């Protein structure tokens, strides 16, 4: 088969059901994201069983909406790319099963995409001129890691978090400060009104060798400070703003310091920052300032490509299809899976 033109992407690894049509891996024809914030808000976090049930209700409508916005019938599609992992298995299975069934009905190939490879591809969707090799910093609710993004080979892990992901730390700090779900955006909104120097929170590993991260100590430091100040009662708004700003400043400092370290000596000196936390304003500003100082290039996708979406899955899937990968009906979903892992059987075994 020649390279596919129109790829349908489907993403359902956590609490977003998303579908998108992308042309030749670069041009977003249509992208639809159905979030579930209202489903999980009463619980202050994602409830896996509720997430997968909502996906079952949404999947057909979301894929239909993406095709309608693209002005296409499903018969116009050349391939389906669907997130196969990592993520919540119940959630993943909904998008995966739908994607496989659609590909089977249309007689077109299906490929499984690693969710983090999808996030990395979002940078190339955002910047048409961006080409591997470059350094990718993935900052999301489940991942915090640096990769060397290579041409025609899976991304190479340079270092990742030893404990919590940075987005998870944002979400936990939101709960400690009694800020509304989802946590990341509400912490950064509160931080705008606060003093980032109010509390000198730790910057874990920032100056140390290696390219790993750690956020659990920072989260605990915030918990101790909240307890010390509030003693179980709600904090005044000014204190919430100061703690949010001080936490955000510490988390951002760590991300910038580790990225600078990864960029030192990298040729070409080029960085893409992707994942939900890449929508954070302070991170964008601080990283751009570091890029000017250290003379590296930095790409941030627009906020709607930072958080989970299916355009990035279609783009990453396109790259796999061009390399000849096809996964077929034996493709499964995986709660944990390394980024370069082979997914599904080769077509010869189908
Ligand atoms: O990439 P994503 O949508 O899902 C995962 O793959 O995890 O990332 C979601 C994470 C959440 O932890 C959310 O709180 C965080 O991204 N996030 C933010 C912002 N917007 C989303 N964190 C900090 N500042 C933001 N503006
Ligand atoms: Zn994600």
């Amino acid at each position: 088969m020649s390279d596919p033109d129109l790829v349908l992407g489907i993403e359902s690894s956590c609490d977003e059901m998303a579908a998108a049509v992308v042309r030749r891996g670069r041009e977003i024809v249509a992208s639809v994201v159905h979030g579930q914030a209202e489903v999980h808000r009463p619980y202050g976090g994602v409830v896996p069983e509720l997430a997968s049930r909502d996906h079952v209700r949404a999947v057909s409508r979301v894929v239909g909406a993406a095709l309608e916005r693209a002005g296409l019938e499903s018969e116009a599609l050349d391939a389906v790319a669907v997130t196969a992992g990592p993520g919540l298995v119940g959630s993943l299975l909904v998008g995966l099963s739908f994607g496989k069934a659609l590909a089977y009905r249309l007689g077109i190939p299906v490929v499984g995409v690693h969710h983090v490879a999808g996030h990395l591809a979002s940078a190339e969707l955002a910047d048409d001129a961006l080409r591997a090799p470059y350094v990718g910093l993935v900052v999301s609710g489940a991942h915090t890691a640096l990769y060397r993004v290579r041409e025609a080979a899976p991304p190479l892990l340079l270092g990742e978090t030893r404990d919590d992901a940075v987005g998870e730390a944002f979400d936990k700090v939101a709960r400690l400060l009694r800020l509304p779900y989802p946590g990341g955006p509400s912490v950064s909104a509160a931080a705008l009104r606060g003093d980032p120097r109010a509390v000198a929170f730790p910057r874990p590993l920032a100056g140390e060798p290696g390219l790993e991260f750690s956020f659990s100590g920072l989260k605990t430091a915030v918990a101790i400070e909240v307890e010390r100040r509030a003693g179980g009662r709600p904090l005044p708004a000014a204190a919430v703003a100061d703690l949010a700003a001080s936490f955000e400043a510490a988390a951002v400092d760590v991300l910038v310091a580790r990225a600078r370290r990864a960029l030192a000596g990298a040729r070409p000196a080029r960085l893409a920052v992707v994942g939900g936390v890449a929508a954070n304003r302070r991170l964008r500003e601080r990283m751009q300032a570091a890029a000017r100082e250290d003379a590296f290039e930095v790409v941030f996708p627009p906020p709607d490509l930072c958080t989970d979406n299916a355009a990035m899955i279609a783009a990453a899937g396109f790259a796999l299809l061009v390399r000849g990968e096809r996964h077929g009906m034996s493709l499964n979903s995986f709660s944990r899976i390394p980024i370069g892992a082979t997914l599904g059987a080769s077509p010869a075994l189908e």
Side-chain angles (χ1 to χ4, degrees):
M1 178 188 148
S2 57
D3 288 353
D5 185 29
L6 291 168
V7 176
L8 174 76
I10 302 177
E11 152 65 36
S12 69
S13 64
C14 189
D15 61 338
E16 264 99 19
M17 171 56 72
V21 179
V22 172
R23 190 183 298 278
R24 302 206 54 79
R26 291 265 173 178
E27 183 201 331
I28 301 173
V29 184
S31 177
V32 176
V33 180
H34 164 78
Q36 303 179 341
E38 66 294 342
V39 174
H40 304 291
R41 188 169 290 122
Y43 309 95
V46 176
V47 183
E49 179 64 25
L50 297 182
S52 51
R53 287 189 202 186
D54 194 79
H55 285 333
V56 171
R57 283 189 290 271
V59 61
S60 163
R61 185 166 41 82
V62 170
V63 171
L67 287 169
E68 197 182 312
R69 277 192 212 170
L72 295 170
E73 299 292 331
S74 55
E75 286 70 19
L77 298 171
D78 297 306
V80 176
V82 55
T83 309
L88 303 170
V89 151
S91 287
L92 285 163
L93 266 176
V94 179
L96 189 92
S97 309
F98 193 92
K100 285 200 308 192
L102 184 62
Y104 184 77
R105 175 171 75 76
L106 296 169
I108 57 177
V110 59
V111 281
V113 173
H114 191 284
H115 183 76
V116 171
H119 275 299
L120 288 166
S122 71
E124 291 177 42
L125 270 178
D127 180 349
D128 202 33
L130 182 66
R131 294 280 185 282
Y134 54 90
V135 175
L137 172 62
V138 181
V139 282
S140 77
H143 308 275
T144 304
L146 280 157
Y147 292 90
R148 168 145 292 275
V149 179
R150 302 176 292 183
E151 207 184 345
L156 181 72
L157 181 66
L158 302 174
E160 63 185 332
T161 182
R162 294 177 183 173
D163 39 59
D164 294 352
V166 62
E168 199 181 342
F170 267 91
D171 295 335
K172 285 179 181 164
V173 166
R175 281 209 288 279
L176 289 168
L177 297 176
R178 304 188 190 197
L179 290 167
Y181 176 86
S186 55
V187 168
S188 57
L192 288 176
R193 299 183 292 275
D195 175 6
R197 285 175 302 273
V199 186
F201 285 127
R203 268 74 173 154
L205 303 181
E208 287 180 32
L211 292 170
E212 292 184 306
F213 300 85
S214 168
F215 289 99
S216 74
L218 172 58
K219 174 196 69 192
T220 307
V222 177
I224 291 168
E225 186 64 18
V226 169
E227 180 57 29
R228 193 182 70 76
R229 290 186 178 209
R233 290 181 306 279
L235 282 167
V240 168
D242 280 350
L243 289 173
S246 300
F247 158 75
E248 185 183 61
V252 165
D253 278 359
V254 170
L255 296 174
V256 172
R258 300 314 255 172
R260 285 179 111 147
R261 194 179 172 78
L263 263 296
R267 292 290 171 274
R270 208 155 45 194
L271 172 71
V273 189
V274 300
V277 183
N280 183 273
R281 210 164 95 178
R282 186 181 178 93
L283 176 60
R284 295 169 95 94
E285 288 168 3
R286 287 303 168 113
M287 198 68 90
Q288 265 142 3
R292 282 191 296 274
E293 241 176 72
D294 293 3
F296 62 83
E297 247 181 80
V298 59
V299 175
F300 277 95
D304 60 338
L305 281 179
C306 289
T307 47
D308 285 348
N309 65 87
M312 67 184 196
I313 301 302
F318 176 81
L320 296 177
L321 289 157
V322 166
R323 275 191 245 150
E325 281 203 39
R326 308 282 186 270
H327 296 145
M329 292 303 121
S330 60
L331 179 64
N332 209 343
S333 58
F334 304 88
S335 60
R336 303 166 70 92
I337 185 166
I339 200 160
T342 308
L343 293 161
S346 72
L349 301 175
E350 287 290 305

